[in-house]
Amino acid sequence: MKYPGRLVLLGDPVSESLSPTFQNAALRAAQIPLVYEALQVAKPALRGLIRDLRKVSAAGNVTIPHKVAVHDRCDTLTDLASRVGAVNTFWFESGRLHGDNTDVSGFDTAARALLGGEAPAGARVVLLGSGGAAAAVLAAIEDWKSATVLIVARNTVRAEALARRFPDVARIETSVTRAVAGATLIVNATPVGQREGEQPLDVAIIEKSTAVMDLGYMRGGTPWVRAARAKGNPAADGLTMLLEQGARSFQRWFGVAPDREAMRQSLL
């Protein structure tokens, strides 16, 4: 099998990313002679870097803030990446840049696990945020039976555009209190909550039966997830989603499923 010339993560920042840890564990387990490296790249330098990666037929992942920019530079997109409008997985083939979005399946797997193995019919989901991660969440929930999503976001223009793209499941809600009442699941798809003392939503207004999922992650759980668990809510951070989207990316690049247990163990 012909392997990519390089395997990289593109983002800014990337120093705290766990992706190199578990992807390199997967590469070792599969005996693939590559090293997955994190490349911090500022927005003005992205175009030149993609040009250089094309020369060596690289592959890799994309994280904040480049998912939309890489999407816009792809020569070929999977249907899912096109639907989401963002790319987190890329590879070059015959000089053409291909893009996919494995965040969708990553979220779906993690959310179903949190909700007991299956998405309940008629789930009522509150989505905090309106960026690329929020679009991936909506693309996943489109396949949930009779689900509805209330988008709560500070950027109303972007939120309205997102709701128009997913009209079968999404609508805007301006009142946080109204949104969370009776919610099945609340998803934080914003960067808020990645630092101690910072939470995207006060857990005091969340009903105990509501599950809480933060797409961000840190060791021991984000402050919001820890607060929700202390209150008695089912809660999870984005680690399961991160591992699953990474596993799906690996399969895209190499055509075989990675050793998920080796990936998990590398993070313990």
Side-chain angles (χ1 to χ4, degrees):
M1 177 183 178
K2 185 178 179 181
Y3 296 131
R6 292 180 75 182
L7 200 57
V8 300
L9 170 67
L10 308 180
D12 186 16
V14 291
S15 60
E16 299 297 320
S17 174
L18 299 178
S19 292
T21 301
F22 65 73
Q23 290 290 14
N24 282 315
L27 290 166
R28 289 191 297 271
Q31 297 185 319
I32 293 174
L34 284 174
V35 174
Y36 182 102
E37 53 186 319
L39 301 180
Q40 182 156 322
V41 53
K43 288 182 181 180
L46 182 64
R47 183 176 182 177
L49 180 57
I50 289 175
R51 184 174 59 246
D52 292 342
L53 293 173
R54 188 188 301 269
K55 294 175 184 176
V56 297
S57 296
N61 291 120
V62 187
T63 188
I64 293 172
H66 301 313
K67 292 182 182 183
V68 174
V70 171
H71 166 279
D72 294 345
R73 295 191 178 281
C74 282
D75 301 301
T76 302
L77 293 165
T78 63
D79 290 343
L80 198 53
S82 182
R83 180 77 179 114
V84 175
V87 159
N88 80 314
T89 303
F90 74 90
W91 65 97
F92 287 94
E93 193 173 308
S94 301
R96 294 176 61 82
L97 177 58
H98 292 250
D100 193 8
N101 192 303
T102 64
D103 284 334
V104 177
S105 56
F107 167 79
D108 189 63
T109 298
R112 288 173 186 267
L114 177 62
L115 295 170
E118 281 298 329
R124 190 170 180 277
V125 182
V126 177
L127 177 59
L128 308 179
S130 57
V137 170
L138 285 166
I141 294 176
E142 273 190 317
D143 288 336
W144 294 10
K145 186 177 180 179
S146 305
T148 57
V149 182
L150 303 178
I151 301 173
V152 179
R154 287 180 293 186
N155 189 325
T156 55
V157 173
R158 197 164 63 178
E160 287 167 358
L162 193 60
R164 286 194 297 271
R165 286 171 53 202
F166 296 91
D168 292 342
V169 293
R171 66 180 177 85
I172 305 296
E173 178 54 77
T174 56
S175 167
V176 175
T177 305
R178 278 201 306 267
V180 301
T184 307
L185 171 68
I186 303 174
V187 180
N188 177 32
T190 77
V192 179
Q194 300 306 298
R195 293 192 295 265
E196 290 297 336
E198 180 181 85
Q199 295 184 28
L201 184 67
D202 186 354
V203 297
I205 67 170
I206 302 174
E207 296 174 10
K208 264 197 172 182
S209 59
T210 300
V212 165
M213 185 172 177
D214 196 338
L215 301 192
Y217 61 89
M218 59 172 51
R219 293 196 183 280
T222 63
W224 192 50
V225 165
R226 294 200 306 270
R229 286 173 177 163
K231 184 172 175 283
N233 294 78
D237 67 8
L239 193 58
T240 298
M241 175 179 172
L242 179 72
L243 282 167
E244 187 58 29
Q245 64 80 27
R248 300 294 179 104
S249 296
F250 188 101
Q251 190 153 358
R252 265 288 181 195
W253 302 323
F254 302 112
V256 295
D259 185 333
R260 282 173 167 79
E261 186 56 28
M263 295 168 76
R264 274 191 291 268
Q265 288 296 323
S266 73
L267 299 180
L268 296 180

